[in-house]
Amino acid sequence: MRYDFAAIEAKWQQRWAASGVFRAANPGEAGFDPDKPKFYVLDMFPYPSGVGLHVGHPLGYIATDIVARYKRMLGFSVLHPMGYDAFGLAAEQFAVEHGVHPRQTTEKNIANMTRQLKRLGLSYDWDRALATTDVGYYKWTQWIFLRLHGAWFDPARNKARPIAELEQLLESERLYIMPDGELIEPPAQGLEGIGGTPFGAIRWQELTVHQRRAVIDSRRLAYMDEVAVNWCPALGTVLANEEVTNDGRSERGNYPVHRRPLKQWMLRITKYCDRLERDLDLVDWPEPIKLMQRNWIGRSEGARVDFPLAYGTAKDAQEAITVFTTRPDTLFGATYMVLAPEHPLVDAVTSDPQRAAVRAYQKQAAARSDADRQAEGKTKTGVFTGGHAVNPVNNERIPIWIADYVMMGYGTGAIMAVPAHDSRDFAFAKTFGLPIRDVVYTPALTAIAAFAARADLAATDEKTLCEQMVDFVGLCINQQVSDFDAAYQAILRRREKDTFGGPLGSNRGAIASIWQDTVKALHESVGIARLLAAARKGEVISLLDDAETEHGVNVNSANEEVSLNGLPTAQAKHVIVEWLEKRGLGRKQIQYKLRDWIFSRQRYWGEPFPILHGPDGEVRAVDEADLPVELPAMEDFKPEASDDPSAPPRPPLARAPESWRYVEIDGVRYERELNTMPQWAGSCWYYLRFCDPNNDERFVGREAERYWMVSPKKDGQPHAGGVDLYVGGAEHAVLHLLYSRFWHKVLYDLGEVSTPEPFGRLFNQGYIQAYYYEDARGVRVPAEEVADASGTPAAELQDQIAPLFHHGQPVKRLYGKMGKSLKNAVTPDEICDQYGCDTMRLYEMYLGPLDQSKLWNTRDIIGVHRFLQRVWRNFVNEETGALLVTDEPPGDEIRRLLHRTIKRVTDSMNAMAFNTAIAALIELNNALVSAERLPREVAQAMVRMLSPLAPHIAEELWEKLGRAGEEALMTAGWPGYDEVMLLDAEVVYPVQINGKVRGRITVPSDADEDAVLAAAQQDEQIARNLEGKQVRKVIVVKGKLLNIVVG
RNA sequence: GCCGGUGUGGCGGAAUUGGCAGACGCGACGGAUUCAAAAUCCGUUUCUCGCAAGAGAGUGUGGGUUCGAGUCCCUCCACCGGCACCA
């Protein structure tokens, strides 16, 4: 009876489905066991693509399945669900191209992918399967949107609260609104303004209904605003910043994108910057992913500083321009200011003679798309406004420019320019001849200054001077010299006997680059003159021909009240900010890069907003009772590709039947919101729905959510609860994972969920890569049609390959992520047909570490397939079908091997290092080949260890073993090992002489150091090597090795 | 440019805290079985020199720390990923 994987796999997949063994019971349901610990292991759910899965997709799914099965064996109650992220641009594009309604194509694709996934024997609880396009699902997506719409962010508590509470606070005057929109609490006793309100505050009672509504609406977490959006004419929709690539194109489809102002739904994610950043400390995620999120959030600490406008500049403007800077310590070096072209104060500061030039520049900047800007690189452009401001620390009058290297979207849209210590300001100052003033001496600059003060500039030739300086600076930086006199003398002494070879000490950091630049300067005979001219005048100039952005020590930084001179950068920042605060000129400020999330799309295939627009501009939330707002059935759902700047885009839903578009409430006719939500909406919360997918009352039942999401705290570990293991690709590092965290935190603030974070542990699997082939024209050809000259398919060739051909044409072999576009996809179906899914699972796991990208090589699959066949033959007599198992206990050696293997496999499973788990099982199995009959004890342990990895063959063998007493394999338990069995009576020591292995000795494992050494000295080969040499030192690493140091 | 990751035989990869580099698999080579082939089984397989015993070299480069470095520190290089005028 041979190993018939097809029959075995079909049999067990049917049995599992029929018995529902993988169904996870919620609290209160039949079969729920409150004593079991829970484990929630989740895959990033896929988008149901028309071409189905290739072997790259299931990599993560197989891994989570192994974890799920392993955890079940350890006695956990495991939640392991699967679903589909089915809304979005890709599905709609596919439908448009094929002329079929997206719901049809989506359903068809889901059916196909579900079939493919089931074939892999993945132990999902299919009863919980969902798609974001299910009406019963997106009803709750809309419901969550209403929560966002119905909430505001209270900065005092740093959390979201229901909007009704804001209304109450305003109405009862426990909170006031200032004209700039700031919310303030009532002033302390004695400081009230007229009528008990703060000076300048807007009185709620005096506002009209419209004004009140505007105040409230502008503070919601979901709000409408006219913003410069990323408009993609080809896709006919707005895109999020995260959906636009660096070169100004759409991530989906690679179409051009440009900015245009449009009124859009926005989500106020920026209010959560602080918590999104800080709470990364609570989760167990890969550090690189955390870092990417941190960079995206972009927290900077700095200061806000007001620069008053100089007399004769402003006509009717406010008196000051506010800037944000991370380097307030360089304030004395600010020699000009720059406003973004769109800055509201530009008009006010512009002088009449400059007005035409400023207008022209503004117009030009507005017209330039991001792609154009990119093409121009970092060349600085700008125009002088004619206006001046006053540097508050030294009362200097400095010019105000506008330039597009300052952006309105970050900070205040205005900067103070410190060309000496910021490379962009430096480039701008160079271009326009603006003054540059050093106010921070970095270690390199300090050393150069010290050199210039000591060297005999008049009497030494230029080349020698340069060489001396490089030596001197190198010495000072490398050895952190503070006694410059001694250092200078050392250099002179060295020069006497040494020829010039390079900077003293090892080449490190700053000195290496100075060294390179100087050598270059020497070489080209440029720069030296400049350098020496400056040195002779007692000035210091940077050798690097760029701003010195490193931290250092302040110089030239003092006024009558405050001096930063001599202070290191961190201290200087602190002192100057304190001074500014005291004088009311500035304050400490934390700034983030993250912008609010543009949340509407002008597309059909998305969740409709539960929002109505009234005739007077009222924005009204749909009553909860009226959810869901179903997507209307439409024949023509194509987007309108348009780029008419005067006409707002018409989303497809504008063509929906009037019966859908208009709703009458209390005699008022409302029009529905015609935009739809972006694809991210559905994936923001699906992990919650999986806890309780059929709940009609709530988006997730409270008890189910608590049970699956809250995990017990481990001592000393940062802890946020949430999904216990979330596995997916790193491509979602900032998009999905940031958006989900944001929604989750809002739901947490509003008391709808129990944990501050959605995903307690994240694991990024690598990609599966594969060779792909291009012909002479650079056109990719299908990988399976490529062969060598003799016609052998490329997949079967060795790695050192002969020239390859596609239908006679020579092709080039390249390497990339597997997929449709590279024409190198291999489907799991073809592998399952040929080898079975157990082999497929083992192969993908055996390929290498899960978190690394690795090369798919069909030829190698045979290795793990042979392993399974050998396992089968170790258990079953292929002739008779008889079980080759004995009840005799195993021999001592086999038993020790078994226990060592159990330890290795257990450790590997815990570390998710499935490749090494499989290697250990192969070794054990190979050691058993020679045995006539397998001891039952070994056979049982082996099957248990194999079962998470190759569950079908394991189940079959388990059944043949008689189920070890009626136990289902899933609950059979994971084998344990005995520490004592890991130790051998004797141990082999490699003996090193001066670190080289010269022989090995066998000693009892409890031998002490002297005994080990004595044994080594008796060894013939070792003795020969020691002959005539003196033993200086002996190192014995217990149980590991012996090293004899001789002289 | 900045940030992050990776670099080990012909190939994929292994190597708790620094302790025998190359586990395991693929491929290749040799052998057994077979009329033959497939399949299977046994053996060899980092490189160089050597009939051999053995010797030497070796984890991208160069240096350092250490009795001892794939592992720690510094430097440079290559490839992959992210960000990119963020003040």
Side-chain angles (χ1 to χ4, degrees), chain A residues 399-414:
Chain A
I400 304 169
W401 287 62
I402 63 169
D404 66 2
Y405 84 91
V406 174
M407 292 170 302
M408 202 52 225
Y410 182 77
T412 61

Side-chain angles (χ1 to χ4, degrees), chain A residues 11 19 112 145 230 239 243 264 278 314 322 329 423 439 444-445 549 629 647 718 739 754 761 861 930 982 988 1016:
Chain A
K11 167 180 160 187
S19 63
N112 181 43
F145 178 82
N230 305 299
L239 298 171
E243 291 169 314
Q264 294 296 314
R278 254 189 311 130
T322 305
D329 57 302
S423 42
V439 291
L445 278 177
T549 55
V629 177
Y739 294 152
S754 329
R761 178 166 180 220
I861 295 172
S930 54
L982 302 176
V988 176

Side-chain angles (χ1 to χ4, degrees), chain A residues 611-615 618 620-623 626 657-672:
Chain A
I611 290 290
L612 302 169
H613 296 274
E618 182 195 356
R620 180 185 173 128
V622 170
D623 278 355
D626 294 336
E658 296 226 337
S659 59
W660 184 86
R661 270 176 61 194
Y662 296 100
V663 180
E664 204 175 292
I665 301 170
D666 302 333
V668 183
R669 192 174 189 235
Y670 290 90
E671 184 179 18
R672 287 196 189 278

